[in-house]
Amino acid sequence: MFKSVLVANRGEIACRVFRTARRMGLRTIAVYSEADAAALHVREADEAVLIGPAAARESYLDAAKVLAAAKATGAEAIHPGYGFLSENADFAEAVMAAGIVWIGPQPSSIRAMGLKDAAKKLMIEAGVPVTPGYQGEDQSVETLTAEANRIGFPVLIKAVAGGGGKGMKKVDRAEGFADGLASAQREGQSSFGDPRVLIESYITRPRHIEVQVFGDSHGNVVHLHERDCSLQRRHQKVIEEAPAPGMDGPTRAAVTEAAVRAAKAVNYQGAGTIEFIADASDGLKADRIWFMEMNTRLQVEHPVTESITGVDLVEWQLRVAAGEPIPLAQADIPMKGWAMEARLYAEDPAHGFLPSIGKLDHFVLPDDIRVDTGVEQGGEVSQFYDPMIAKLIVHADSREAAAARLANACREVEVWPVRTNAGFLARCLDHARFVEGDVDTGFIGAEEGELLRSEGSPRAVAAAAGLIGLEADAAAFDVEDKSLAPWRAGLFGFRMNGAAQSRTALHNGDQHHDVTLAGEPGWHGRQSSFDVGVEGETARVYGETDLVVVDGDVVTAFAPDAERIVVFDDGDVIEFRRRKAAAGAGGSASDGGLRAPMPGKIVAAPAKAGDTVTKGQPIVVLEAMKMEHALTAPFDGVVAEFNVAVGDQVVDGAVLAVVKAEGEAK
């Protein structure tokens, strides 16, 4: 076994690999960009090397810099994690040529499976069923359009070098094909340096089933059962689980055997995942499950497989890379209970799931489950990298118990001012269809109305109002004689007879809440208690510091400044204002201004000044955090201003374009 390992990655996966490496007694080495100088993975390593500026192309994707860091530190092995250089065959060859152990498959295997079109041809030869589509060399617009028409709409356009939902576009009708193709090609070029695409028939009720495989240098290949990753949004996985709901024994045997055949076809070594797409319109059946692609690396969702098998997949990677055989035979790999993982993203579900960046001033994650993360309180979510900030993983005896436990964990998440999808995840897990196992990749789109929340719950409003009362009560408390001074009674006012009472208002976006606080306030034992009336209902509130108890439920609430109150409510973060915000403030599209939701680069301009547009029509496309974000017309009108050009770098909040109603535009 080698004595040291460098992780050519960052964040959560770097921390994850270090955890196992330390347990095995290995020296750990991190690399980092200028943006990650204070990152958690840097501090957790025994040694760390700066390799370049924030942009990934100049740091984490620069193979020469990573290799130089390995040589300078005497690293005996390199683990690539996932993303970045993990599926770069040239990098793997360079590592091996330098006499350093590559913790991954052979470069020939990476190349064989790295391009989706070539991989499909190889699988056909190996007898593995594949999805109907086009994987040809001719990439002309005319040929691709003709093939899409032959396959029949809807179709799925996929970058041949893609992954993680990037470079993937669903097109429902022929008239939208040209725009979808151009976008997929741009994302493919931007993310992978390859604009080529393939086209597949879009399955109307698809489920995403994948099988964890493992090979070694002694010719052994095993599977570690399947995972279901069907809960997705825009082709990016949100919740993963193992095993797959509704998978019977014969179907499981057919799928896992096909996965092993696929791995053997490329003489696979190390951890890999064979991904299948299933037509779930009539349940899971072996003859309706097709090969999609192979990921020649460790998957983000590997913890659910670890949970049901008891295997440390990173340890297996390290041992197999050192020349050892796979530790367990196929018959000895267990499958116990049910595991689920939720991806906690720095994004704002209330505003189209736009990525959220910035400092983590308040960062609390559940402490009674497995949490894999690469950030901590006081850290920062950068615009330069993927917005996933943590993975929440649970294991239970049954699927229902696992879903309930993970939902509770998501409700415990508290992150601010960066927004997260925690509340959204909890509602997904609580949804009756999900609990029943009735899921497919269109679940989120179909149930979006129930899964998104646009206003604070009565409990959250009561907590915010209660915090105002607590502040007033504390201000009125006479510290010297331990009494409530009548002339300093603050918000409640002073009455010689009867209970003190006050009315106030709170605002959350367009929502307006009138609240009443009543009672006999007193600062006793650092706690106050009184009644809060919210929209016809009354809640009993007491609390201290930033913990407010509303009818027995503990709610975290705090005031970051004199104008705002922040409340955490079942995973959601709700920001109340004591005074109504000015119209259009905060980048609202109510005034027709399209503002950049984050720093980024303009990659397309579907409209121009003077164009007549309809509500929802794309006006400008911004690339940020490795994804494209289309800003659309907020209403029917005319593009009165267009302030950017393709290629421009823009800052957060910049007005990119202005749409006005036709009468106002003149």
Side-chain angles (χ1 to χ4, degrees):
M1 174 62 69
F2 39 83
K3 301 299 182 183
S4 59
V5 58
L6 179 148
V7 177
N9 218 294
R10 65 179 298 279
E12 170 268 323
I13 185 58
C15 294
R16 163 70 187 93
V17 175
F18 290 156
R19 187 165 64 243
T20 291
R22 282 195 304 271
R23 179 174 56 78
M24 295 176 67
L26 304 181
R27 182 167 64 95
T28 57
I29 304 161
V31 292
Y32 65 95
S33 71
E34 292 173 354
D36 279 341
L40 184 61
H41 80 276
V42 175
R43 295 202 311 280
E44 287 201 346
D46 295 320
E47 190 172 355
V49 180
L50 173 65
I51 57 171
R57 285 192 181 93
E58 300 177 63
S59 53
Y60 297 108
L61 285 171
D62 192 321
K65 290 180 178 177
V66 174
L67 270 175
K71 293 174 182 177
T73 57
E76 297 180 32
I78 290 180
H79 192 301
Y82 46 70
F84 294 135
L85 296 168
S86 62
E87 294 179 282
N88 186 311
D90 292 340
F91 177 61
E93 282 182 340
V95 170
M96 297 165 72
I100 300 171
V101 175
W102 168 250
I103 303 173
Q106 293 296 307
S108 58
S109 301
I110 298 174
R111 288 195 176 95
M113 289 298 199
L115 298 178
K116 292 180 172 63
D117 53 349
K120 283 196 169 188
K121 294 173 185 175
L122 183 62
M123 291 301 99
I124 292 171
E125 295 172 3
V128 178
V130 303
T131 314
Y134 172 75
Q135 303 95 38
E137 295 294 329
D138 188 344
Q139 291 286 301
S140 68
V141 174
E142 294 77 15
T143 296
L144 293 172
T145 302
E147 288 296 329
N149 287 325
R150 177 187 63 80
I151 295 167
F153 291 90
V155 298
L156 197 60
I157 307 171
K158 300 169 72 173
V160 299
K166 300 176 184 67
M168 186 182 298
K169 303 294 174 183
K170 177 193 174 190
V171 180
D172 293 305
R173 296 178 298 278
E175 54 267 33
F177 183 77
D179 288 342
L181 174 62
S183 182
Q185 290 171 328
R186 282 196 304 270
E187 285 191 2
Q189 180 63 47
S190 173
S191 297
F192 313 106
D194 190 341
R196 292 177 298 159
V197 300
L198 59 82
I199 305 172
E200 292 178 348
S201 175
Y202 185 83
I203 298 168
T204 55
R205 188 119 196 270
R207 278 181 61 180
H208 184 126
I209 307 294
E210 61 186 35
V211 178
Q212 177 73 62
V213 294
F214 224 102
D216 62 25
S217 58
H218 304 274
N220 302 308
V221 177
V222 299
H223 69 80
L224 291 93
H225 314 300
E226 84 281 357
R227 299 184 288 254
D228 189 304
C229 307
S230 299
L231 214 69
Q232 302 180 6
R233 191 189 64 78
R234 297 178 186 169
H235 307 295
Q236 286 195 314
K237 299 168 187 175
V238 176
I239 292 173
E240 302 102 346
E241 58 184 305
M247 178 78 77
D248 60 28
T251 303
R252 175 173 290 115
V255 172
T256 54
E257 287 168 9
V260 170
R261 286 201 306 274
K264 287 182 175 180
V266 293
N267 300 312
Y268 199 77
Q269 296 178 27
T273 298
I274 310 296
E275 300 197 349
F276 297 89
I277 190 167
D279 179 356
S281 56
D282 191 26
L284 290 178
K285 296 183 178 179
D287 62 351
R288 302 296 292 168
I289 301 178
W290 302 282
F291 170 86
M292 279 200 307
E293 62 187 9
M294 181 178 191
N295 288 314
T296 53
R297 53 171 168 77
L298 195 67
Q299 291 279 91
V300 174
E301 57 272 23
H302 75 273
V304 296
T305 295
E306 293 182 324
S307 297
I308 65 167
T309 61
V311 167
D312 184 331
L313 290 174
V314 173
E315 179 178 347
W316 276 29
Q317 284 187 295
L318 300 176
R319 294 194 179 283
V320 165
E324 298 180 20
I326 295 171
L328 293 176
Q330 185 67 71
D332 298 326
I333 299 173
M335 184 172 71
K336 297 179 180 178
W338 215 284
M340 286 187 184
E341 171 183 294
R343 300 191 186 191
L344 185 68
Y345 282 108
E347 63 185 11
D348 189 355
H351 294 89
F353 292 91
L354 286 172
S356 181
I357 62 176
K359 195 171 182 181
L360 297 164
D361 292 338
H362 184 92
F363 187 70
V364 178
L365 300 180
D367 59 6
D368 60 344
I369 64 168
R370 175 175 172 178
V371 175
D372 287 7
T373 185
V375 295
E376 60 187 344
Q377 185 160 300
E380 188 170 353
V381 177
S382 167
Q383 62 170 303
F384 297 102
Y385 312 116
D386 189 273
M388 189 181 73
I389 56 177
K391 300 184 304 193
L392 311 181
I393 306 109
V394 302
H395 182 260
D397 292 336
S398 68
R399 186 174 185 275
E400 294 77 10
R405 189 180 181 199
L406 187 53
N408 287 334
C410 291
R411 283 191 282 266
E412 293 175 11
V413 170
E414 298 179 5
V415 181
W416 189 87
V418 170
R419 300 295 194 266
T420 77
N421 62 336
F424 171 81
L425 291 170
R427 288 186 287 277
C428 287
L429 292 157
D430 281 334
H431 196 284
R433 274 188 58 194
F434 180 84
V435 173
E436 293 168 2
D438 179 19
V439 295
D440 55 55
T441 59
F443 172 86
I444 288 176
E447 306 296 340
E448 190 172 66
E450 291 185 45
L451 301 176
L452 295 177
R453 177 181 292 174
S454 60
E455 60 185 62
S457 67
R459 181 179 67 176
V461 179
L467 186 65
I468 293 175
L470 291 169
E471 289 176 344
D473 201 2
F477 179 63
D478 191 316
V479 178
E480 292 183 1
D481 65 8
K482 307 294 188 294
S483 65
L484 185 68
W487 57 89
R488 295 170 58 198
L491 176 73
F492 289 93
F494 171 67
R495 297 185 180 188
M496 294 298 295
N497 299 297
Q501 190 176 69
S502 178
R503 296 180 64 84
T504 189
L506 291 168
H507 309 277
N508 172 33
D510 294 331
Q511 302 297 317
H512 176 86
H513 307 279
D514 290 312
V515 295
T516 302
L517 294 90
E520 296 290 348
W523 194 248
H524 306 297
R526 294 185 57 77
Q527 291 188 345
S528 291
S529 60
F530 39 81
D531 292 325
V532 176
V534 182
E535 296 159 6
E537 298 184 12
T538 301
R540 188 65 179 173
V541 175
Y542 70 90
E544 56 177 307
T545 60
D546 61 350
L547 296 180
V548 180
V549 180
V550 181
D551 285 342
D553 293 331
V554 179
V555 182
T556 300
F558 64 92
D561 53 48
E563 287 296 321
R564 296 177 297 167
I565 294 176
V566 173
V567 178
F568 294 104
D569 184 35
D570 285 345
D572 289 313
V573 58
I574 304 160
E575 188 175 298
F576 294 96
R577 291 186 177 271
R578 307 183 198 218
R579 294 186 302 180
K580 192 169 182 61
S588 168
S590 61
D591 59 356
L594 302 183
R595 296 168 174 82
M598 70 201 77
K601 180 181 179 181
I602 304 301
V603 294
K608 63 182 183 301
D611 282 0
T612 299
V613 295
T614 58
K615 181 179 180 180
Q617 180 177 333
I619 305 298
V620 61
V621 180
L622 177 73
E623 183 186 68
M625 300 187 84
K626 304 197 291 187
M627 294 291 286
E628 289 189 1
H629 309 279
L631 281 74
T632 61
F635 44 73
D636 295 350
V638 175
V639 180
E641 296 179 24
F642 200 89
N643 304 322
V644 291
V646 173
D648 286 355
Q649 292 285 343
V650 298
V651 299
D652 185 11
V655 178
L656 310 181
V658 176
V659 177
K660 292 187 177 180
E662 286 204 50
E664 298 177 358
K666 297 177 181 178

